[in-house]
Amino acid sequence: MKTNPEAWVLVQDEEREKLLVEAAREEGLDLKVFRNVGEATPRAEPPGGIILAIDGTGRFKNYPTIIKRFQKEYVGLEVVVFGQGTGPDAAAREREIGVDLFVPVPVDRDEFLIGFSHLAAIRRIKATTGIVGRSPELAEMLETVLQVAPTEVPVLIAGESGSGKELTARAIHLMSKRGDKLFEAVNCGALAEGVLESELFGHERGSFTGAVARRQGLFERANHGTLFLDEVGEMSLAMQVRLLRVIETGEFLRVGGSERVHTNVRLVAATNRELEIAVERGGFRKDLYYRLKVVQIRIPPLRTRPDDIPILVHHFIGQASRKHGKKIRGIEKEGMDLLVSYPWPGNVRELSNVIDNLTILSRDGMIRAAEVEKRLREKRSVDPFPDLPVHVQRSREEVERELILSSLLSLHNDIREVLDILRGRGGPERGRWREWVEVKEAPSDDQRDLRRLEREAIREALAANNGNRRKAARSLGISERTLYRRLKGFKR
């Protein structure tokens, strides 16, 4: 998408021009005024993202064609139209042709200033955070951001992996009264409990091996700013208690410390889990859940807003071209159609990765439909169920792996139960099978293979959960006690 700090405006009279220029100046936006469509025809000097088109009874009655022409050249361009018509139906009709803000004429100055200010705020969010799109679903989400940002209440952001939860958290911070202070972020699911505790609250010198000096935690560093807790549903219950205490009192202790530290942070949390279910199952504290969810923002998955995909594609092509030093002219229409129809289980992050790949491999400056089809076919071969939404805390690959590992352990448990029966510990067959068991007491090759698979499964689960045995046991579908017993058996 081409951008420039100036916005263009098509006007018909000096009175309206004065009103628009004054309103734009109050929002820190420069306007370039044109008296006719010919002057404003797309050229090398692009607009800054907002066109203000005036439609009365005169020469701009064909403004839908004008809008279409500009938005084809400048993908994602915001548009304000002053036109004939009243009521919500008029605004809905205008939105269908690409209008972001419809102001009926004659123009009410106060109404226009409020609307223009609102649109300029949306534009600032997109420009500063990298959020891209103009679909009604995304617009509704950004409206909520604008409403909640000036307040001090905690916000819980819900959305699938790759949908842009951290960008949304940054938007809340930047549009808040704390926007000039620090924004700190931590992924609660990526750190072991002890590491996360030190990361959030800091530690004193000598509090544990390797603690050679006092270290500030994020609650201390983000004082008067915003702290973003990503994947908050992965916190242990013990950590949840500590977090709740900080929210209620504004105070905490560093690890190994006795001095209370005061903090004043705005908390924004995010999850790709259904925390209501976790609360019902006892995996997440109800009191903490309601503390974090004063306001909840749901980010729509990419598959529900296909109108945003072409805008995102052009945006990512521009990014990838600059990053890799490539000159990409565009993408074939058939290729774009394939991208729009794909369900994108990995959301915006997955689309960005695909466009990056296609840009690098493009040979003639044009992304061909055949290349898009090949790339998506490769993805489908790896992920045979792309339209299945993922509403859990792990990626699809992790879920599939864990299901396999859980099945192996379940099979192992079944075999152990059968062997217990054969050895005479499980029922009346004791005498009948005693001789058979004595003959078969030595482990077979199949049993050795099963133990090896079990060991690899547990080793892989521990590695995936950074050595956290509680999480590893939960992911394998066994109790923590069973996991300890298995690990102890491997050492023999």
Side-chain angles (χ1 to χ4, degrees):
M1 174 181 170
K2 302 173 182 177
T3 58
N4 188 283
E6 281 185 337
W8 291 359
V9 54
L10 304 176
V11 297
Q12 292 177 294
D13 57 63
E14 292 183 2
E15 183 180 352
R16 287 176 177 168
E17 176 185 340
K18 182 179 178 181
L19 174 64
L20 298 177
V21 171
E22 180 183 339
R25 188 180 297 117
E26 290 184 15
E27 295 301 323
L29 184 67
D30 293 326
L31 293 185
K32 189 164 188 177
V33 179
F34 296 96
R35 295 292 181 182
N36 59 68
V37 178
E39 292 181 5
T41 300
R43 60 192 70 188
E45 179 194 8
I50 297 180
I51 292 179
L52 295 140
I54 305 297
D55 173 48
T57 58
R59 54 184 175 268
F60 296 146
K61 293 185 73 172
N62 64 335
Y63 71 94
T65 304
I66 299 171
I67 292 172
K68 186 175 181 180
R69 184 192 311 172
F70 274 94
Q71 289 187 335
K72 182 178 180 181
E73 178 70 15
Y74 309 112
V75 179
L77 193 68
E78 288 95 347
V79 178
V80 178
V81 166
F82 295 81
Q84 303 289 347
T86 57
D89 291 343
R93 287 194 302 270
E94 297 297 322
R95 180 167 285 280
E96 287 180 3
I97 62 171
V99 176
D100 296 279
L101 177 64
F102 177 75
V103 183
V105 293
V107 177
D108 178 87
R109 183 178 186 281
D110 292 338
E111 180 184 350
F112 168 70
L113 289 176
I114 292 171
F116 192 92
S117 174
H118 181 80
L119 191 64
I122 294 290
R123 184 183 178 219
R124 282 199 300 275
I125 288 177
K126 292 180 177 180
T128 54
T129 63
I131 295 175
V132 176
R134 55 177 298 118
S135 65
E137 295 83 359
L138 185 66
E140 184 179 349
M141 188 270 285
L142 292 176
E143 294 280 352
T144 307
V145 168
L146 281 180
Q147 286 180 301
V148 75
T151 70
E152 290 292 305
V153 298
V155 179
L156 179 63
I157 302 172
E160 297 177 11
S161 294
S163 58
K165 295 189 289 294
E166 184 166 345
L167 292 183
T168 306
R170 288 185 181 276
I172 293 171
H173 170 71
L174 290 169
M175 301 305 293
S176 73
K177 300 171 185 176
R178 302 170 183 254
D180 59 341
K181 306 299 182 183
L182 279 180
F183 174 90
E184 295 282 0
V186 61
N187 188 324
C188 302
L191 302 174
E193 182 177 336
V195 178
L196 179 61
E197 183 179 25
S198 175
E199 187 71 16
L200 289 175
F201 306 114
H203 60 253
E204 297 289 352
R205 177 182 178 183
S207 56
F208 54 83
T209 304
V212 296
R214 171 187 283 182
R215 182 177 184 272
Q216 285 188 340
L218 294 179
F219 271 106
E220 203 166 349
R221 295 208 302 270
N223 194 25
H224 301 296
T226 302
L227 178 56
F228 175 53
L229 303 175
D230 197 7
E231 304 306 343
V232 70
E234 298 301 314
M235 268 191 180
S236 69
L237 290 172
M239 284 297 298
Q240 291 175 35
V241 172
R242 289 207 63 180
L243 176 60
L244 182 63
R245 179 70 177 169
V246 178
I247 295 174
E248 291 177 340
T249 67
E251 295 180 340
F252 63 92
L253 297 176
R254 300 186 189 95
V255 176
S258 57
E259 176 189 351
R260 295 195 175 277
V261 182
H262 182 78
T263 184
N264 174 16
V265 299
R266 168 83 176 276
L267 274 182
V268 180
T271 179
N272 60 9
R273 298 177 62 187
E274 294 295 341
L275 286 188
E276 295 91 340
I277 297 175
V279 169
E280 291 175 2
R281 295 176 177 175
F284 200 84
R285 292 182 62 96
K286 182 185 292 187
D287 45 7
L288 177 60
Y289 172 65
Y290 287 115
R291 284 283 192 174
L292 295 175
K293 189 194 169 185
V294 177
V295 174
Q296 178 168 285
I297 296 177
R298 283 198 174 272
I299 303 179
L302 188 56
R303 64 181 169 274
T304 66
R305 48 188 183 101
D307 292 346
D308 284 340
I309 293 178
I311 301 173
L312 285 161
V313 168
H314 286 289
H315 175 73
F316 290 139
I317 286 176
Q319 280 189 341
S321 298
R322 291 188 294 273
K323 181 169 66 174
H324 302 298
K326 303 269 292 189
K327 290 185 178 180
I328 303 297
R329 301 191 308 276
I331 180 171
E332 289 183 341
K333 181 182 182 304
E334 294 80 4
M336 182 67 81
D337 291 342
L338 287 169
L339 294 173
V340 171
S341 63
Y342 188 74
W344 301 109
N347 291 291
V348 179
R349 183 186 298 140
E350 183 183 15
L351 175 60
S352 173
N353 178 271
V354 168
I355 297 302
D356 200 55
N357 178 272
L358 290 170
T359 300
I360 292 172
L361 298 179
S362 175
R363 297 177 181 177
D364 58 358
M366 177 65 70
I367 296 177
R368 304 292 176 185
E371 296 169 347
V372 176
E373 184 177 16
K374 179 183 176 183
R375 182 72 177 91
L376 296 183
R377 188 168 58 246
E378 290 171 352
K379 289 180 65 58
R380 283 192 175 95
S381 67
V382 174
D383 183 1
F385 306 107
D387 357 88
L388 181 64
V390 179
H391 294 294
V392 294
Q393 68 270 30
R394 292 174 287 277
S395 69
R396 178 164 313 164
E397 292 78 14
E398 291 174 318
V399 170
E400 291 174 347
R401 174 179 55 78
E402 290 172 6
L403 285 172
I404 293 171
L405 302 184
S406 180
S407 298
L408 284 171
L409 287 175
S410 178
L411 177 61
H412 177 78
N413 290 336
D414 291 342
I415 292 175
R416 287 177 65 92
E417 289 176 9
V418 171
L419 290 176
D420 283 342
I421 292 174
L422 295 177
R423 292 188 179 98
R425 291 199 288 259
E429 294 89 350
R430 174 170 181 163
R432 180 180 176 185
W433 295 103
R434 190 172 190 78
E435 183 179 351
W436 188 93
V437 172
E438 289 173 355
V439 173
K440 298 292 185 180
E441 192 67 27
S444 67
D445 291 340
D446 289 341
Q447 289 173 326
R448 292 192 187 94
D449 288 342
L450 186 60
R451 284 184 61 79
R452 178 177 55 78
L453 286 172
E454 180 186 28
R455 181 179 292 134
E456 290 177 1
I458 290 176
R459 199 174 285 157
E460 199 170 342
L462 287 168
N465 291 279
N466 298 309
N468 188 311
R469 296 184 179 183
R470 183 183 294 109
K471 290 183 180 180
R474 186 173 60 187
S475 70
L476 291 167
I478 61 176
S479 69
E480 192 173 356
R481 185 176 178 182
T482 301
L483 178 62
Y484 276 96
R485 190 167 63 247
R486 296 282 194 275
L487 292 171
K488 188 176 179 180
F490 293 156
K491 295 176 182 178
R492 291 174 182 171

